[in-house]
Amino acid sequence: MSVLDGKELRIVGFLCNWCSYGGADTAGVARATQPTDLRIIRVPCSGRVDPLFVLKALFNGADGVLVSGCHPRDCHYAAGNFYARRRLEILKRFLPVLGIDERRFAYTWVSAAEGQRWQHVVTAFTRQIHELGPAPRLEDAEPLLKVADMALTALRPLGSGQSAALDELKAAIRSKLPELDCVIGWQQGRDAAHHVPLFMRKPEDVDKLVWGPFNVNNPAVYLPSFKGKKVGVVVKGCDARSVVELLQENLIRREDVTIFSMPCEGTLDMGRVDQALGRYTAIDQVAYDEAGVTITADGRAQRFCMADWAQGKCYGCATPSAVLTDESFGASAPVEAKATTPPELAMLDAMSLEERRAFWRGQMERCLRCYACRNACPLCVCRDYCVSDSRDPHWMTQEDTVKEKLFFQTIHALHLAGRCTGCGECQRACPVGIPILALRQQISRAVGELFNGYAAGMNPQDVPPLLGYAVVEENIQEQDWK
Amino acid sequence: MRIGVFVCHCGSNIGGTVDCARVAALARDFPDVAYATDPMYTCAEPGQAAIEEAIHEYRLDGVVVASCSPRMHEPTFRRTVERAGLNRYMFEMANIREHVSWIGKDKEANTNKAAELVRLAVEKLRHNLPLAASQFDVNKRVLVIGGGVAGIQAALDCAEGGIPVVLVEREATIGGKMAKLDKTFPTVDCSACILGPKMVDVAQHPKITLYACAEVEEISGYVGNFTVKIRKRATYVDWSKCTGCGACTEKCPAKKTPDAFNEHTGTTTAINIAFPQAIPKKAVINAQYCRQLTKGKCGVCAKVCPTGAINYAMQEEIVSENVGAIVAATGYDLMDWRVYQEYGGGVYPDVITSLQYERLLSASGPTGGHVLRPSDGKEPQTVVFVQCVGSRDRSIGRPYCSGFCCMYTAKQAILTKDHIPGAQTFVFYMDIRAPGKMYDEFVRRASEEYGTEYIRGRVSQIYPDGQGRLVVKGADTLLGEQVEIKADLVVLAVGIEASKGAVNLAEKLRISYDNHGFFMESHVKLRPVETNTAGVFLAGVCQGAKDIPASVAQGSAAAAKVLTLFARDKLESDPQIAQVDIRRCVACGKCLRCCPFGAIKETEFRGETKAQVIATVCQGCGLCTSTCPQGAIQLQHATDNQILAEVNALCQC
């Protein structure tokens, strides 16, 4: 058995107590010789295996990870492995975007009677890991900072939203305001080229409401903190999906929320805009035309055409109008129905695994651990109890390493699996401009592929795919280790 | 912490390929390890005593034993540490036998691996907390699902043991398949004569509540406290008034009603009592054929019924019963043999199943016990039996042996000669499987005393010869030649399958089932009646093919398990369940949505909604723990921190 020769590699197994751990015992009783690389961690059920355990192992030096549970329909806990199958399959499709070879992770089903099968799985998986060799460590990659330009083509003409019915919207808010504690929208921030959230409580507040490509913040992020109060929210199409997702997850109540919406023509990628503006003391003027804005700062005018300067998410946006709304004003331009790859993700798709590791190594070195990404995320509902600040559970250390920083991003991405609406607030809020949305986009893409085009935040009645299961999964082909 | 590590040699089982002394030496350097040694047999009495001594001497507050699988001896060692005053959950096992010494040949690699597994166990133990079991009451009543011979036996044994029994039967009468049989092998006893008294006992036993024409609709709860909803179908006869006199069945004009009890070998009336010994002996109206119910005019039975029991307006009804244990005894059905087109696929009336033949042989059957073939009512002179129709046939996805067909075929061949002395009988077989007491002798009697001709081979085709007979074409693999027999009647020994709806029931019971729908026992050899769901037991063919004596034995075994369970007034709950950290919970309801057991509910805490685990319902799978993003719900003894400690013990670069 060639895999037994040479240096051992580090392979971690998570086995359910009832079937696979018993199968490994059966193999032992039958003296079924196996390679010695594998170390087994016993868990009650494959459903107990948080995909993050697998990532934790892979990040900390495991060369391979194997999860094994009871065969579908045979779960001791009736359905644990059905949930595990969905979550682990998502994980498998997530690994490559991090630069980890997906063959380093496998999940399978072995019953307590299948000692022979277990021997075969262990031998084959160990051989596979030896063929791949020791896992390259993230810290060893040469940091890659230079990023190729993203290809940007929109599904619809992007614009500056100047024809929007802002006055009608304001009138509607004014008439509803007496019944509501607060209506959330946008106002001008430090200058005319920056908008910030606005909390309208009095009629005069409504005058401050603005609309346009600077309305980048997602106001849905504030809704859970108003739980139990009557609140209104002005939304763009993408923001509405966050509201729907919050409703789906029971974090806000439909009867408490009034949704005002207008079709969105795109928002500016403020990271790039600010970079182009450079240092300035004052904004002299912001002039809107149909397809863009011209910002004059310190006497220097620059035009930002929406087709070139929008946020990455806007190009593939198929929901410029709110999917759920109470009062809507205006209609949107038709959207060409077409599947697109978001530009951030397309950029990573074009890279090799090694380049992706180098990319994340370089990008994560810049991460400040400020957690702005988390705080801006409307679906980061843990709020004060984020696992990143906790010792029980103690998922992360406070070490300032690339590994820990990227691990936090994977925690966030996996916690959002099947929930992320792609609003991109994490990436927008990042003060150093790391394209972290790509990690969430990869998971959303996998969710869509696996669950017949499922997209989060489209319908309050949907069951998020990772909180459900199907006895027979149409789109999941498990490796059969024959 | 002060941890003691015991690296067992297990004789040469571990010591042969693992340097146990070295593992113990390495373990001394692991954090918090205060003592490490390598005993020869840790599970033996002196070995256990040594652990207890070490706990006292070295003031240990946690113990790691590196030996065999925890599935084997974890309970043993937990008791050991408990005797020495430690909490039983302050113990961890490293499996260095099944997972190391028995599967690897390289001693150095094995030793290294064993040491790492010990380290893993030590790290886990460092994060363990003492856990305490709580106690709960047991409702000492049992539900038996299925009134075949296995279910009857289980019900009677439980009732005799003083336990109130709820027996649910889907058909109108209990008795199951055995009630349809004419005689039983290997004694050729009359089936009704030996089963009948048991059925009567069920009806008369004060501790047994029988629901016939009923099915289990819903099961909730857990061992000791199940709540079962039972759907009673509408029989259109008030059974509290029906005396079973049969006046209605005599007068009923709908005489073309299919007779399911007689396996459709004849017809019956729309209102009918399945057979003379039926229990309960009550009439049931078949709503599909009753003229009053289908056409709204007739009402003959209502007119003739002396007690006024007929009620055409009867509705089905759901009743609820609380029990502490459940015995599943749902038996089997014959597979649909019509997939065999080469045997006519059900077109030829004189190709019948063995169960139909049983009804033709029975005195209570449609022919009054005279063997008359269905097509023309004549006595057959040549009868061909074909075995393994739908058994051991991988081509139709039925690789298993149905177990008892060899024996009943021999019995039917013998009975054929008893009924028609001049008849000629042939049996096509693959192998004769007669492993029971007096079984092989019985098969020999069929061939030697009764002149049954046994032909080893498969039948390739059955077709009519155009003159009222059937041509059976097959191979004789012993002689290596083709065989062609002109038969008057062909009896197929049709393979069995799990009872219709068995899978559905398994899901309600939360027990596992195999690829063919048979219920899974807890351990193939050592726990053949238990399931992996506490308080649910199995009896009879629902678990796998077996004949009457084996079914009866398993019925009694299941009853013994129920009585053992009920011997205690209180049960201990497993403390390895999920627990909510109420501060971290944001009431998003994800755990509640995923929990396969409905063990999580919402509760109010200082005006806020929070999740709460219902301790007695939680089974400890930990799905909620891996679902909760903020880690607010933690499965005790397999918390995030405990598993992370294990991962970190293995991956530390």
Side-chain angles (χ1 to χ4, degrees), chain B residues 71 97 127 163 346 360 377 421 453 503 509:
Chain B
R71 282 165 58 96
R97 193 177 74 174
H127 289 80
I163 304 296
L360 295 185
E453 197 169 320
V503 166
L509 287 167

Side-chain angles (χ1 to χ4, degrees), chain B residues 44-226:
Chain B
E45 225 171 273
Q48 292 192 47
I51 296 179
E52 288 179 58
E53 270 167 41
I55 291 173
H56 295 306
E57 197 178 335
Y58 298 94
R59 292 175 288 111
L60 304 177
D61 50 11
V63 170
V64 169
V65 172
S67 60
C68 50
S69 172
R71 282 165 58 96
M72 179 100 132
H73 273 322
E74 193 171 56
T76 317
F77 291 123
R78 278 182 173 169
R79 283 194 296 272
T80 312
V81 300
E82 216 163 30
R83 278 199 302 276
L86 296 190
N87 182 278
R88 73 169 86 159
Y89 295 98
M90 298 309 284
F91 167 78
E92 283 296 324
M93 257 180 119
N95 184 347
I96 61 166
R97 193 177 74 174
E98 282 85 343
H99 292 187
V100 181
S101 72
W102 278 352
I103 58 161
K105 293 210 166 82
D106 181 335
K107 192 160 184 172
E108 202 192 321
N110 281 357
T111 305
N112 178 32
K113 182 174 179 183
E116 282 193 28
L117 292 183
V118 170
R119 194 193 157 90
L120 184 91
V122 168
E123 287 297 335
K124 165 86 197 302
L125 181 57
R126 291 178 73 210
H127 289 80
N128 280 10
L129 287 172
L131 302 175
S134 54
Q135 294 195 321
F136 60 91
D137 292 324
V138 184
N139 181 359
K140 294 187 182 180
R141 301 179 82 232
V142 62
L143 167 74
V144 178
I145 308 171
V149 68
I152 289 175
Q153 187 67 33
L156 286 174
D157 285 351
C158 285
E160 281 300 299
I163 304 296
V165 179
V166 178
L167 177 59
V168 175
E169 168 57 51
R170 180 161 62 186
E171 305 299 331
T173 171
I174 59 168
K177 296 289 183 292
M178 188 177 171
K180 299 189 181 191
L181 306 183
D182 176 37
K183 303 284 190 301
T184 57
F185 62 80
T187 50
V188 204
D189 259 339
C190 160
S191 186
C193 315
I194 55 178
L195 181 65
K198 277 189 182 291
M199 292 168 59
V200 174
D201 284 350
V202 168
Q204 293 178 344
H205 205 293
K207 292 243 180 228
I208 299 180
T209 312
L210 171 62
Y211 293 105
C213 277
E215 282 178 76
V216 171
E217 177 77 7
E218 195 186 304
I219 299 167
S220 57
Y222 49 93
V223 57
N225 295 280
F226 292 104

Side-chain angles (χ1 to χ4, degrees), chain A residues 10 17 21 25 33-34 38-39 42 47-48 74 76-77 83 87 248-249 385 391 394 403 415, chain B residues 69 71 74 95 99 103 113 116 512 532 583-584 588 590 593 626-627 629 638 640-641 650 653:
Chain A
R10 176 57 20 126
N17 177 53
Y21 197 91
D25 283 355
T33 312
Q34 298 154 41
L38 177 74
R39 309 282 185 266
R42 181 166 69 130
R48 175 67 189 90
D74 215 9
H76 178 70
Y77 301 106
Y83 288 96
R87 294 169 187 189
Q248 222 182 65
E249 297 185 17
Y385 298 105
R391 279 177 175 256
H394 196 189
K403 211 167 61 185
H415 281 178
Chain B
S69 172
R71 282 165 58 96
E74 193 171 56
N95 184 347
H99 292 187
I103 58 161
K113 182 174 179 183
E116 282 193 28
S512 340
N532 276 337
R583 286 166 308 151
R584 298 186 76 88
C588 64
K590 294 188 183 72
R593 211 182 301 212
S626 52
T627 303
D640 282 341
N641 276 2
L650 293 176
C653 75

Side-chain angles (χ1 to χ4, degrees), chain A residues 211-228:
Chain A
W211 185 259
F214 295 108
N215 282 4
V216 288
N217 301 62
N218 183 345
V221 71
Y222 302 103
L223 288 177
S225 55
F226 284 94
K227 194 176 180 184

Side-chain angles (χ1 to χ4, degrees), chain A residues 102-397:
Chain A
E102 63 173 276
R103 289 170 293 175
R104 293 194 182 275
F105 166 65
Y107 67 96
T108 189
W109 321 118
V110 175
S111 83
E114 293 174 323
Q116 255 192 325
R117 177 174 157 85
W118 177 251
Q119 178 192 29
H120 179 68
V121 167
V122 173
T123 311
F125 186 67
T126 308
R127 184 177 297 128
Q128 184 171 312
I129 298 304
H130 275 259
E131 276 162 14
L132 291 167
R137 302 189 323 164
L138 184 65
E139 305 90 292
D140 296 342
E142 202 55 46
L144 173 77
L145 283 166
K146 199 177 169 300
V147 177
D149 284 342
M150 302 181 208
L152 306 169
T153 346
L155 293 180
R156 61 188 163 118
L158 297 175
S160 61
Q162 288 318 290
S163 55
L166 185 58
D167 292 335
E168 289 169 47
L169 172 66
K170 283 182 177 172
I173 295 174
R174 271 193 205 95
S175 75
K176 273 274 181 187
L177 201 53
E179 306 159 26
L180 303 170
D181 284 334
C182 177
V183 177
I184 313 167
W186 301 267
Q187 61 183 331
Q188 184 182 318
R190 62 177 190 258
D191 54 44
H194 293 87
H195 290 175
V196 294
L198 164 69
F199 298 87
M200 294 168 266
R201 292 191 167 85
K202 299 188 289 283
E204 54 267 37
D205 294 338
V206 182
D207 301 330
K208 297 183 202 161
L209 182 66
V210 291
W211 185 259
F214 295 108
N215 282 4
V216 288
N217 301 62
N218 183 345
V221 71
Y222 302 103
L223 288 177
S225 55
F226 284 94
K227 194 176 180 184
K229 292 186 180 142
K230 298 283 178 201
V231 61
V233 64
V234 186
V235 295
K236 309 186 288 291
C238 47
D239 307 333
R241 288 178 61 188
S242 301
V243 177
V244 168
E245 195 62 25
L246 290 169
L247 287 170
Q248 222 182 65
E249 297 185 17
N250 203 22
L251 293 158
I252 50 175
R253 288 209 308 252
R254 184 68 185 96
E255 61 271 27
D256 289 346
V257 181
T258 308
I259 305 168
F260 302 91
S261 71
M262 290 206 289
C264 170
E265 293 186 352
T267 50
L268 283 164
D269 183 343
M270 292 310 290
R272 285 192 292 141
V273 170
D274 282 337
Q275 212 168 17
L277 291 173
R279 284 180 175 230
Y280 61 86
T281 37
I283 297 284
D284 307 326
Q285 195 198 6
V286 176
Y288 293 88
D289 57 69
E290 211 166 275
V293 290
T294 305
I295 304 175
T296 314
D298 294 346
R300 193 167 71 100
Q302 280 185 75
R303 182 166 182 275
F304 297 94
C305 176
M306 289 304 291
D308 297 325
W309 292 87
Q311 294 198 65
K313 63 168 179 178
C314 299
Y315 295 96
C317 174
T319 53
S321 299
V323 290
L324 181 73
T325 181
D326 298 307
E327 309 221 5
S328 73
F329 304 93
S332 92
V335 180
E336 193 187 339
K338 196 171 90 182
T340 55
T341 307
E344 296 89 346
L345 192 53
M347 174 184 76
L348 277 152
D349 282 350
M351 294 184 193
S352 68
L353 288 177
E354 200 183 334
E355 286 169 331
R356 288 177 202 166
R357 282 194 303 277
F359 175 76
W360 290 119
R361 164 86 206 273
Q363 296 291 329
M364 283 300 147
E365 260 180 4
R366 304 192 295 125
C367 168
L368 310 166
R369 279 186 99 154
C370 68
Y371 295 122
C373 47
R374 174 190 76 190
N375 298 346
C377 175
L379 292 169
C380 256
V381 293
C382 311
R383 302 291 161 194
D384 299 338
Y385 298 105
C386 176
V387 291
S388 64
D389 310 326
S390 147
R391 279 177 175 256
D392 187 15
H394 196 189
W395 281 97
M396 295 183 59
T397 71

Side-chain angles (χ1 to χ4, degrees), chain B residues 484-630:
Chain B
E484 209 177 284
I485 298 165
K486 290 220 166 155
D488 299 309
L489 185 67
V490 178
V491 180
L492 307 177
V494 175
I496 62 160
E497 63 184 16
S499 173
K500 278 171 199 69
V503 166
N504 203 320
L505 180 67
E507 279 158 13
K508 287 176 190 161
L509 287 167
R510 296 195 305 266
I511 59 176
S512 340
Y513 47 92
D514 67 16
N515 293 340
H516 309 291
F518 293 109
F519 300 154
M520 290 289 288
E521 61 281 14
S522 206
H523 188 282
V524 198
K525 293 190 177 66
L526 301 179
R527 289 159 68 85
V529 226
E530 293 99 322
T531 63
N532 276 337
T533 299
V536 178
F537 305 100
L538 306 176
V541 187
C542 65
Q543 178 260 344
K546 48 182 76 65
D547 57 11
I548 293 167
S551 295
V552 171
Q554 209 184 7
S556 285
K561 286 289 167 191
V562 172
L563 293 169
T564 312
L565 180 71
F566 288 173
R568 276 165 290 179
D569 292 325
K570 298 235 177 215
L571 291 180
E572 270 201 353
S573 68
D574 190 337
Q576 299 178 74
I577 54 168
Q579 222 171 57
V580 179
D581 179 347
I582 222 145
R583 286 166 308 151
R584 298 186 76 88
C585 175
V586 299
C588 64
K590 294 188 183 72
C591 52
L592 199 136
R593 211 182 301 212
C594 284
C595 178
F597 305 99
I600 301 171
K601 64 176 182 189
E602 285 185 343
T603 180
E604 284 295 312
F605 179 76
R606 292 184 186 160
E608 283 185 69
T609 308
K610 299 284 176 182
Q612 189 183 30
V613 176
I614 311 166
T616 41
V617 183
C618 176
Q619 305 282 309
C621 65
L623 187 60
C624 51
T625 312
S626 52
T627 303
C628 179
Q630 58 269 44

